[in-house]
Amino acid sequence: IAGMTAAIYVKRANKTAVVLEGKIYGGQIINTLNIENWPGDLGVSGADLSQKIYHQMNKLGVEVEFAEVITVERGKDGFIVKTEDGDIEAKAVIFATGTEPRKMSKKQTEDAGKRAISYCATCDGALYKGKPVVVVGSGNTAKHEIAYLSNIASKVYHIHHDDPIPKDAAAVFVAIGRVPNTKAAEGLVKIDENGYIVAGEDCKTSCPGVFVAGDCRTKA
């Protein structure tokens, strides 16, 4: 969503924008069944919302290429974006590569069986109103998920890595941290000890001409 939004603003500023997408447009949100806190929509699925923004971007004339970015290097007049399908030259680059949730152990994944697995209580908690759920994790994120779910679920179990999952839980909420997708930015911009690209609200990185938007940027 951050990447497509950035492309919309770039295009509206009368610049040429190319979006490079390695998997599927929309990112994490496409896994959310129903979004009820998006302004202007009483309820929309993550997939439908992504499609709306994608069509808005297309209508403006943004070019989209489905290719995995390997790395970004400085070029003679800007930057060279190296992808699995070849190189692309650019005057500026916006990283909007997001993060991925850390997965449960193989043992816990097998233990979960066919039960729903979610990585966002705010997104999916309402689906399990009045039902028992379990939160996996030991940090601040897990505590926030527990606090949120305690007002929705009939019971909230709190377990740690490799603990068995209670059999009566209707869903498993995983809160064991996230991993930023910033490998392609290594050596180009400053990255913090947790792997996030260092930038403020202005989205400027340590390298002039390189910006960052969305979840892969350092923030509280």
Side-chain angles (χ1 to χ4, degrees), residues 45-83:
S45 73
D48 286 345
L49 177 60
S50 297
Q51 197 167 46
K52 282 182 180 181
I53 300 172
Y54 183 79
H55 288 322
Q56 181 183 6
M57 186 177 68
N58 271 351
K59 191 175 179 181
L60 286 169
V62 174
E63 185 180 343
V64 179
E65 291 190 19
F66 288 90
E68 192 81 43
V69 174
I70 300 165
T71 189
V72 179
E73 301 173 356
R74 294 176 193 264
K76 185 180 286 187
D77 298 312
F79 302 93
I80 299 170
V81 182
K82 292 185 173 293
T83 80

Short mmCIF file of all heavy atoms in Angstrom, two decimals, residues 45-83:
data_model
loop_
_atom_site.label_atom_id
_atom_site.label_comp_id
_atom_site.label_asym_id
_atom_site.label_seq_id
_atom_site.Cartn_x
_atom_site.Cartn_y
_atom_site.Cartn_z
N SER A 45 -12.44 -5.93 2.05
CA SER A 45 -11.39 -6.93 2.24
C SER A 45 -10.05 -6.33 1.84
O SER A 45 -9.98 -5.37 1.05
CB SER A 45 -11.66 -8.17 1.39
OG SER A 45 -11.43 -7.91 0.02
N GLY A 46 -8.99 -6.87 2.39
CA GLY A 46 -7.66 -6.39 2.05
C GLY A 46 -7.36 -6.53 0.57
O GLY A 46 -6.75 -5.65 -0.05
N ALA A 47 -7.83 -7.63 -0.02
CA ALA A 47 -7.61 -7.86 -1.45
C ALA A 47 -8.34 -6.83 -2.29
O ALA A 47 -7.80 -6.30 -3.27
CB ALA A 47 -8.06 -9.26 -1.82
N ASP A 48 -9.60 -6.52 -1.92
CA ASP A 48 -10.39 -5.53 -2.68
C ASP A 48 -9.79 -4.13 -2.55
O ASP A 48 -9.75 -3.36 -3.52
CB ASP A 48 -11.84 -5.51 -2.20
CG ASP A 48 -12.62 -6.74 -2.68
OD1 ASP A 48 -12.11 -7.43 -3.60
OD2 ASP A 48 -13.71 -7.01 -2.14
N LEU A 49 -9.33 -3.79 -1.34
CA LEU A 49 -8.73 -2.47 -1.13
C LEU A 49 -7.46 -2.33 -1.97
O LEU A 49 -7.24 -1.31 -2.63
CB LEU A 49 -8.39 -2.27 0.35
CG LEU A 49 -7.69 -0.96 0.71
CD1 LEU A 49 -8.55 0.24 0.34
CD2 LEU A 49 -7.35 -0.93 2.19
N SER A 50 -6.64 -3.37 -1.99
CA SER A 50 -5.41 -3.36 -2.79
C SER A 50 -5.73 -3.18 -4.26
O SER A 50 -5.05 -2.45 -4.98
CB SER A 50 -4.63 -4.66 -2.58
OG SER A 50 -4.22 -4.77 -1.24
N GLN A 51 -6.79 -3.87 -4.71
CA GLN A 51 -7.17 -3.79 -6.11
C GLN A 51 -7.63 -2.38 -6.49
O GLN A 51 -7.30 -1.87 -7.56
CB GLN A 51 -8.26 -4.81 -6.42
CG GLN A 51 -8.45 -5.08 -7.91
CD GLN A 51 -9.30 -6.30 -8.15
OE1 GLN A 51 -10.34 -6.48 -7.55
NE2 GLN A 51 -8.87 -7.16 -9.07
N LYS A 52 -8.39 -1.74 -5.59
CA LYS A 52 -8.84 -0.37 -5.82
C LYS A 52 -7.65 0.58 -6.02
O LYS A 52 -7.62 1.39 -6.94
CB LYS A 52 -9.67 0.13 -4.63
CG LYS A 52 -11.09 -0.38 -4.56
CD LYS A 52 -11.78 0.26 -3.36
CE LYS A 52 -13.22 -0.19 -3.22
NZ LYS A 52 -13.87 0.46 -2.05
N ILE A 53 -6.67 0.46 -5.12
CA ILE A 53 -5.50 1.34 -5.20
C ILE A 53 -4.67 1.02 -6.43
O ILE A 53 -4.14 1.91 -7.09
CB ILE A 53 -4.67 1.24 -3.91
CG1 ILE A 53 -5.52 1.67 -2.70
CG2 ILE A 53 -3.42 2.12 -3.98
CD1 ILE A 53 -4.87 1.44 -1.35
N TYR A 54 -4.59 -0.26 -6.77
CA TYR A 54 -3.86 -0.68 -7.96
C TYR A 54 -4.48 -0.08 -9.22
O TYR A 54 -3.78 0.45 -10.09
CB TYR A 54 -3.86 -2.21 -8.04
CG TYR A 54 -3.07 -2.77 -9.21
CD1 TYR A 54 -1.68 -2.87 -9.15
CD2 TYR A 54 -3.71 -3.21 -10.36
CE1 TYR A 54 -0.95 -3.39 -10.20
CE2 TYR A 54 -3.01 -3.74 -11.42
CZ TYR A 54 -1.62 -3.82 -11.34
OH TYR A 54 -0.91 -4.34 -12.40
N HIS A 55 -5.82 -0.11 -9.32
CA HIS A 55 -6.50 0.46 -10.48
C HIS A 55 -6.34 1.98 -10.52
O HIS A 55 -6.20 2.57 -11.60
CB HIS A 55 -7.98 0.09 -10.46
CG HIS A 55 -8.24 -1.36 -10.78
ND1 HIS A 55 -7.52 -2.04 -11.73
CD2 HIS A 55 -9.14 -2.26 -10.27
CE1 HIS A 55 -7.95 -3.29 -11.81
NE2 HIS A 55 -8.92 -3.45 -10.92
N GLN A 56 -6.37 2.61 -9.35
CA GLN A 56 -6.15 4.06 -9.28
C GLN A 56 -4.76 4.40 -9.81
O GLN A 56 -4.59 5.37 -10.57
CB GLN A 56 -6.29 4.53 -7.82
CG GLN A 56 -6.11 6.03 -7.64
CD GLN A 56 -6.20 6.42 -6.17
OE1 GLN A 56 -6.28 5.57 -5.30
NE2 GLN A 56 -6.16 7.71 -5.90
N MET A 57 -3.79 3.62 -9.44
CA MET A 57 -2.41 3.81 -9.88
C MET A 57 -2.29 3.59 -11.39
O MET A 57 -1.64 4.38 -12.10
CB MET A 57 -1.53 2.82 -9.11
CG MET A 57 -0.05 2.96 -9.32
SD MET A 57 0.87 1.78 -8.29
CE MET A 57 0.40 0.21 -9.04
N ASN A 58 -2.93 2.53 -11.87
CA ASN A 58 -2.90 2.23 -13.31
C ASN A 58 -3.53 3.34 -14.14
O ASN A 58 -3.05 3.68 -15.22
CB ASN A 58 -3.65 0.92 -13.59
CG ASN A 58 -2.72 -0.29 -13.51
OD1 ASN A 58 -1.52 -0.13 -13.40
ND2 ASN A 58 -3.28 -1.47 -13.54
N LYS A 59 -4.63 3.88 -13.64
CA LYS A 59 -5.36 4.93 -14.34
C LYS A 59 -4.48 6.17 -14.54
O LYS A 59 -4.60 6.88 -15.54
CB LYS A 59 -6.63 5.30 -13.57
CG LYS A 59 -7.58 6.20 -14.35
CD LYS A 59 -8.86 6.43 -13.57
CE LYS A 59 -9.81 7.35 -14.35
NZ LYS A 59 -11.06 7.61 -13.60
N LEU A 60 -3.58 6.39 -13.60
CA LEU A 60 -2.67 7.55 -13.69
C LEU A 60 -1.50 7.27 -14.63
O LEU A 60 -0.75 8.18 -14.97
CB LEU A 60 -2.13 7.90 -12.30
CG LEU A 60 -3.12 8.58 -11.36
CD1 LEU A 60 -2.56 8.62 -9.94
CD2 LEU A 60 -3.43 9.99 -11.84
N GLY A 61 -1.36 6.01 -15.03
CA GLY A 61 -0.29 5.67 -15.96
C GLY A 61 1.00 5.17 -15.33
O GLY A 61 2.06 5.21 -15.96
N VAL A 62 0.91 4.70 -14.11
CA VAL A 62 2.10 4.15 -13.45
C VAL A 62 2.43 2.79 -14.07
O VAL A 62 1.55 1.95 -14.25
CB VAL A 62 1.86 3.97 -11.93
CG1 VAL A 62 3.06 3.27 -11.29
CG2 VAL A 62 1.63 5.32 -11.27
N GLU A 63 3.68 2.59 -14.41
CA GLU A 63 4.12 1.32 -14.99
C GLU A 63 4.42 0.34 -13.86
O GLU A 63 5.04 0.69 -12.85
CB GLU A 63 5.38 1.54 -15.83
CG GLU A 63 5.85 0.32 -16.57
CD GLU A 63 7.11 0.58 -17.39
OE1 GLU A 63 7.44 1.76 -17.63
OE2 GLU A 63 7.77 -0.42 -17.76
N VAL A 64 3.97 -0.90 -14.00
CA VAL A 64 4.21 -1.93 -12.99
C VAL A 64 4.96 -3.10 -13.63
O VAL A 64 4.56 -3.58 -14.68
CB VAL A 64 2.89 -2.45 -12.37
CG1 VAL A 64 3.18 -3.52 -11.33
CG2 VAL A 64 2.10 -1.31 -11.75
N GLU A 65 6.04 -3.50 -12.99
CA GLU A 65 6.79 -4.66 -13.46
C GLU A 65 6.91 -5.66 -12.31
O GLU A 65 7.27 -5.29 -11.20
CB GLU A 65 8.19 -4.25 -13.94
CG GLU A 65 8.17 -3.42 -15.21
CD GLU A 65 9.57 -3.23 -15.80
OE1 GLU A 65 10.47 -4.02 -15.43
OE2 GLU A 65 9.75 -2.30 -16.59
N PHE A 66 6.57 -6.90 -12.60
CA PHE A 66 6.66 -7.94 -11.57
C PHE A 66 8.04 -8.58 -11.64
O PHE A 66 8.30 -9.44 -12.48
CB PHE A 66 5.54 -8.96 -11.75
CG PHE A 66 4.20 -8.41 -11.37
CD1 PHE A 66 3.40 -7.78 -12.32
CD2 PHE A 66 3.76 -8.47 -10.05
CE1 PHE A 66 2.18 -7.24 -11.97
CE2 PHE A 66 2.53 -7.94 -9.69
CZ PHE A 66 1.74 -7.32 -10.64
N ALA A 67 8.91 -8.08 -10.77
CA ALA A 67 10.29 -8.57 -10.73
C ALA A 67 10.85 -8.38 -9.33
O ALA A 67 10.57 -7.37 -8.68
CB ALA A 67 11.15 -7.82 -11.74
N GLU A 68 11.62 -9.34 -8.88
CA GLU A 68 12.23 -9.28 -7.55
C GLU A 68 13.49 -8.41 -7.63
O GLU A 68 14.36 -8.64 -8.46
CB GLU A 68 12.61 -10.69 -7.10
CG GLU A 68 12.97 -10.79 -5.64
CD GLU A 68 11.75 -10.86 -4.74
OE1 GLU A 68 10.79 -11.58 -5.06
OE2 GLU A 68 11.79 -10.19 -3.69
N VAL A 69 13.56 -7.39 -6.75
CA VAL A 69 14.74 -6.53 -6.72
C VAL A 69 15.84 -7.22 -5.90
O VAL A 69 15.60 -7.64 -4.77
CB VAL A 69 14.40 -5.15 -6.11
CG1 VAL A 69 15.67 -4.32 -5.95
CG2 VAL A 69 13.40 -4.42 -6.99
N ILE A 70 17.01 -7.31 -6.50
CA ILE A 70 18.14 -7.96 -5.83
C ILE A 70 18.93 -6.94 -5.01
O ILE A 70 19.21 -7.15 -3.83
CB ILE A 70 19.06 -8.64 -6.86
CG1 ILE A 70 18.28 -9.70 -7.65
CG2 ILE A 70 20.28 -9.26 -6.18
CD1 ILE A 70 18.97 -10.18 -8.90
N THR A 71 19.26 -5.81 -5.63
CA THR A 71 20.00 -4.76 -4.94
C THR A 71 19.85 -3.44 -5.69
O THR A 71 19.42 -3.42 -6.85
CB THR A 71 21.50 -5.13 -4.81
OG1 THR A 71 22.15 -4.19 -3.96
CG2 THR A 71 22.19 -5.15 -6.16
N VAL A 72 20.20 -2.35 -5.03
CA VAL A 72 20.18 -1.02 -5.65
C VAL A 72 21.56 -0.41 -5.46
O VAL A 72 22.09 -0.37 -4.34
CB VAL A 72 19.10 -0.11 -5.02
CG1 VAL A 72 19.14 1.28 -5.68
CG2 VAL A 72 17.72 -0.72 -5.19
N GLU A 73 22.15 0.08 -6.56
CA GLU A 73 23.49 0.65 -6.51
C GLU A 73 23.48 2.07 -7.08
O GLU A 73 22.60 2.44 -7.84
CB GLU A 73 24.46 -0.22 -7.34
CG GLU A 73 24.56 -1.66 -6.86
CD GLU A 73 25.39 -2.53 -7.80
OE1 GLU A 73 25.83 -2.00 -8.86
OE2 GLU A 73 25.60 -3.71 -7.48
N ARG A 74 24.48 2.85 -6.70
CA ARG A 74 24.64 4.18 -7.27
C ARG A 74 25.09 4.05 -8.72
O ARG A 74 25.94 3.22 -9.05
CB ARG A 74 25.68 4.98 -6.49
CG ARG A 74 25.31 5.31 -5.06
CD ARG A 74 26.49 6.02 -4.40
NE ARG A 74 26.34 6.09 -2.96
CZ ARG A 74 25.84 7.15 -2.32
NH1 ARG A 74 25.46 8.21 -3.01
NH2 ARG A 74 25.75 7.15 -1.01
N GLY A 75 24.53 4.89 -9.59
CA GLY A 75 24.91 4.90 -11.00
C GLY A 75 25.56 6.23 -11.35
O GLY A 75 25.75 7.08 -10.49
N LYS A 76 25.84 6.42 -12.63
CA LYS A 76 26.49 7.66 -13.07
C LYS A 76 25.56 8.85 -12.87
O LYS A 76 25.99 9.92 -12.40
CB LYS A 76 26.88 7.53 -14.55
CG LYS A 76 27.68 8.72 -15.08
CD LYS A 76 28.05 8.54 -16.54
CE LYS A 76 29.16 7.52 -16.72
NZ LYS A 76 29.64 7.48 -18.14
N ASP A 77 24.30 8.70 -13.22
CA ASP A 77 23.33 9.81 -13.11
C ASP A 77 22.16 9.49 -12.19
O ASP A 77 21.06 9.98 -12.39
CB ASP A 77 22.79 10.17 -14.51
CG ASP A 77 23.89 10.64 -15.45
OD1 ASP A 77 24.68 11.49 -15.03
OD2 ASP A 77 23.94 10.13 -16.57
N GLY A 78 22.39 8.65 -11.21
CA GLY A 78 21.30 8.28 -10.31
C GLY A 78 21.55 6.92 -9.69
O GLY A 78 22.56 6.72 -9.03
N PHE A 79 20.66 5.98 -9.99
CA PHE A 79 20.77 4.66 -9.37
C PHE A 79 20.49 3.55 -10.38
O PHE A 79 19.77 3.75 -11.37
CB PHE A 79 19.78 4.55 -8.21
CG PHE A 79 19.99 5.61 -7.16
CD1 PHE A 79 19.28 6.81 -7.22
CD2 PHE A 79 20.92 5.44 -6.16
CE1 PHE A 79 19.50 7.79 -6.28
CE2 PHE A 79 21.14 6.42 -5.22
CZ PHE A 79 20.42 7.61 -5.27
N ILE A 80 21.07 2.40 -10.10
CA ILE A 80 20.82 1.21 -10.92
C ILE A 80 20.11 0.19 -10.04
O ILE A 80 20.65 -0.25 -9.02
CB ILE A 80 22.13 0.61 -11.47
CG1 ILE A 80 22.85 1.63 -12.36
CG2 ILE A 80 21.83 -0.66 -12.27
CD1 ILE A 80 24.26 1.21 -12.74
N VAL A 81 18.89 -0.12 -10.41
CA VAL A 81 18.11 -1.11 -9.67
C VAL A 81 18.27 -2.45 -10.37
O VAL A 81 17.83 -2.63 -11.50
CB VAL A 81 16.61 -0.71 -9.63
CG1 VAL A 81 15.82 -1.72 -8.81
CG2 VAL A 81 16.45 0.70 -9.05
N LYS A 82 18.93 -3.37 -9.69
CA LYS A 82 19.21 -4.67 -10.28
C LYS A 82 18.09 -5.65 -9.89
O LYS A 82 17.82 -5.86 -8.71
CB LYS A 82 20.56 -5.19 -9.81
CG LYS A 82 21.74 -4.38 -10.34
CD LYS A 82 23.06 -4.99 -9.95
CE LYS A 82 24.21 -4.27 -10.63
NZ LYS A 82 24.23 -4.46 -12.09
N THR A 83 17.44 -6.21 -10.89
CA THR A 83 16.36 -7.16 -10.65
C THR A 83 16.72 -8.50 -11.29
O THR A 83 17.68 -8.61 -12.07
CB THR A 83 15.02 -6.68 -11.25
OG1 THR A 83 15.00 -6.93 -12.65
CG2 THR A 83 14.81 -5.19 -11.00
#
